Amino acid sequence: MRFFRQVWVVTVKDLRAELRTKEAINSSLAFALVILLMFSFAFDPLADTTREISGGLLWIVFAFAGTLVLNRSFARELPNDCLDGLIAAPISGSALFLGKACANFLLVMAVQLVSLPVFGVFYSVPWTKQFPELLLVLVLGTWGLTVVGTVSSALTVNIRLRELMLPMLTYPIMFPALLGAMELTADLVTGSPIGADKAGFLKMMIGFDVIYTAVSLLLVETILVG
Amino acid sequence: MREKALYLIGVLAVVLMAYNLAEIAAQPSEALFYIPLAGVAGLAAVTALVAGIAFLRTRNFQFDALAVAATEVGLAFLAAGIVCGCFLTHAEGGRWWSWDARLTAALVCWLLYATYLMLRHAVQEPSQRAAFAAVWSVFAFLDVPLVVATIAWWKPAAGMRMDWTPSRLLNLLALAMVGTLLTVVRMRQEEARRELDSLRRVTHAI
């Protein structure tokens, strides 16, 4: 019970810091909108073929915009040696990690829920038709992104080329979850239900989230303390 | 003694491969090497994982040297395997890359383990580098079955038939020996580099 209270404190602290400065979420949102617009230059936005690949486009936007939020997660703690203070605080590394991951999850989710209607309008996609299923895929994919991304953020916080290394580390690991999310989203936003042939992707995404959450909680102490 | 054992392994590997050369007349040489090369890369990944976990438990830098040596050798073997696969695909359908499920999965795994080396290069402090690399090795290893399964669902139809024939198994043995040889050589190099590094630090401190 105490563990969850600690997680909650870290989450609220991170969200409060972010909502006061709005440094990550603003840049992430602006970036998401810019990419959404840029895709319409690359593909004919009203063609049926674009609708078929729209799930993939959407996740590329989410993954790129997500790393902007994740980059700030630990980097925010660098000024005034806040990170050392957090590590020295009487909470376990896993509570700190889970708190940060939850905060990142909520922020990335917020960016997605804002860019989704814009995407729907720009590409005339009926994304509201199966919104509960779509939300499930969004939650699963985003949790995978934030868990792996928060670990990468902790790994890269003190090294050279931090901003470059985070996406380099995150995307290859994310590959199975991202592929599953793209396949499922492409179906859901165009109005066709999740078929039996695609159900495997859903199970795989759940497995991905469970495995990486567990391993991250296990190993994060090593990353933070060394 | 260790030197002689290494030479022996090398000679044995060459003998095994020479014995296999007769098979090349029966099938294209890429087919003889494609799967065994990937198999050795898999063995290297297991070695790197075990060495990484051993490092995290013991903090003995020899395990870190073994992990990086095995990962690098595995990457080289997997790259060679992917190239062999490309030649096979080209021979079959005239395309160099036809999104064959196995080859695509191999490429993703290659990229995964390439990030391991990039992470190592980016971290300066030796003990932190070793710990981060070990953690990342666990992450990358866990991803391999997920990648293989996902890509098999994604492209179920695409795929060349490839089975383990006796000659391919023999080649796996030979290539595994070559891999062991290279890993030991690279491991020594890494240990020498670390010693040089610590000496440099000492002189700096003085």
Side-chain angles (χ1 to χ4, degrees), chain A residues 37-178:
Chain A
L37 196 64
M38 284 226 296
F39 277 142
S40 68
F41 304 151
F43 309 97
D44 178 9
L46 295 176
D48 282 337
T49 46
T50 309
R51 213 154 299 145
E52 276 161 29
I53 59 169
S54 58
L57 296 184
L58 203 56
W59 274 99
I60 291 173
V61 173
F62 292 166
F64 283 8
T67 47
L68 291 184
V69 172
L70 296 164
N71 246 331
R72 295 299 306 157
S73 177
F74 275 87
R76 189 189 295 126
E77 314 288 359
L78 280 182
N80 306 323
D81 291 331
C82 295
L83 188 58
D84 293 335
L86 273 179
I87 294 170
I91 58 170
S92 64
S94 45
L96 174 61
F97 166 79
L98 203 59
K100 280 202 165 289
C102 288
N104 289 336
F105 173 77
L106 291 174
L107 290 171
V108 177
M109 216 51 210
V111 172
Q112 294 183 351
L113 289 178
V114 173
S115 38
L116 199 59
V118 179
F119 167 77
V121 171
F122 276 7
Y123 297 89
S124 62
V125 166
W127 59 277
T128 43
K129 255 190 200 165
Q130 300 181 79
F131 190 65
E133 290 94 332
L134 185 61
L135 198 65
L136 175 70
V137 174
L138 280 184
V139 166
L140 286 176
T142 312
W143 182 250
L145 179 69
T146 42
V147 164
V148 177
T150 310
V151 169
S152 308
S153 181
L155 280 172
T156 54
V157 65
N158 275 321
I159 67 177
R160 291 184 283 146
L161 310 172
R162 183 200 318 136
E163 278 81 9
L164 284 177
M165 283 304 288
L166 178 84
M168 297 272 259
L169 292 177
T170 311
Y171 296 147
I173 292 273
M174 271 293 291
F175 195 89
L178 218 48

Side-chain angles (χ1 to χ4, degrees), chain A residues 151-152 155 159-160 165 168-169 172-176 179 183 200-201 204 208 211-212 215-216 219 222-223 226, chain B residues 56 59 108 111-112 115 118-119 121-124 131-132 135-136 138-140 142-143 146-147 150-151 153-154:
Chain A
V151 169
S152 308
L155 280 172
I159 67 177
R160 291 184 283 146
M165 283 304 288
M168 297 272 259
L169 292 177
I173 292 273
M174 271 293 291
F175 195 89
L179 180 61
E183 289 281 315
F201 286 119
M204 193 276 310
F208 183 93
I211 290 172
Y212 277 99
V215 177
S216 305
L219 291 175
T222 318
I223 298 171
Chain B
L56 286 181
R59 302 280 160 171
V108 174
L111 287 172
L112 258 178
T115 61
M118 281 193 274
L119 182 67
H121 276 286
V123 186
Q124 307 265 346
F132 281 14
V135 168
W136 202 248
V138 174
F139 266 67
L142 287 174
D143 219 25
L146 292 173
V147 166
T150 321
I151 292 183
W153 281 325
W154 179 51

Side-chain angles (χ1 to χ4, degrees), chain B:
Chain B
M1 183 61 214
R2 268 175 81 184
E3 296 292 323
K4 276 179 190 158
L6 281 182
Y7 287 137
L8 191 68
I9 290 177
V11 170
L12 263 174
V14 170
V15 169
L16 276 177
M17 273 196 255
Y19 177 77
N20 242 342
L21 277 181
E23 282 282 326
I24 288 183
Q27 58 179 317
S29 53
E30 304 93 68
L32 203 57
F33 282 101
Y34 166 44
I35 291 199
L37 279 167
V40 176
L43 291 177
V46 174
T47 314
L49 175 80
V50 172
I53 292 174
F55 172 80
L56 286 181
R57 293 200 147 239
T58 61
R59 302 280 160 171
N60 182 345
F61 276 90
Q62 275 191 334
F63 287 121
D64 180 55
L66 175 60
V68 66
T71 309
E72 280 185 9
V73 170
L75 272 171
F77 273 71
L78 194 58
I82 292 172
V83 171
C84 283
C86 282
F87 277 104
L88 276 177
T89 335
H90 187 69
E92 251 178 35
R95 281 187 214 189
W96 290 106
W97 191 267
S98 61
W99 298 102
D100 169 74
R102 273 188 188 169
L103 270 177
T104 315
L107 182 64
V108 174
C109 293
W110 195 89
L111 287 172
L112 258 178
Y113 275 94
T115 61
Y116 172 93
L117 292 184
M118 281 193 274
L119 182 67
R120 278 192 80 92
H121 276 286
V123 186
Q124 307 265 346
E125 210 272 310
S127 63
Q128 198 179 39
R129 173 170 56 215
F132 281 14
V135 168
W136 202 248
S137 195
V138 174
F139 266 67
F141 189 83
L142 287 174
D143 219 25
V144 171
L146 292 173
V147 166
V148 172
T150 321
I151 292 183
W153 281 325
W154 179 51
K155 290 264 178 254
M160 290 177 284
R161 287 286 302 151
M162 274 287 157
D163 297 317
W164 286 102
T165 58
S167 60
R168 282 181 194 148
L169 278 172
L170 207 61
N171 236 5
L172 175 73
L173 186 64
L175 287 170
M177 284 155 86
V178 175
T180 315
L181 190 69
L182 290 174
T183 309
V184 173
V185 171
R186 178 69 184 85
M187 194 179 150
R188 283 186 187 174
Q189 189 196 357
E190 183 67 22
E191 279 174 351
R193 203 189 56 75
R194 195 169 48 79
E195 205 176 319
L196 206 63
D197 235 34
S198 69
L199 284 177
R200 197 177 288 141
R201 266 159 213 263
V202 169
T203 49
H204 225 69
I206 294 167

Side-chain angles (χ1 to χ4, degrees), chain A residues 188-223:
Chain A
L188 286 172
V189 292
T190 50
S192 44
I194 299 177
D197 55 328
K198 295 273 175 81
F201 286 119
L202 206 58
K203 282 184 203 151
M204 193 276 310
M205 285 174 77
I206 295 170
F208 183 93
D209 288 359
V210 171
I211 290 172
Y212 277 99
T213 311
V215 177
S216 305
L217 288 176
L218 205 69
L219 291 175
V220 78
E221 199 83 42
T222 318
I223 298 171

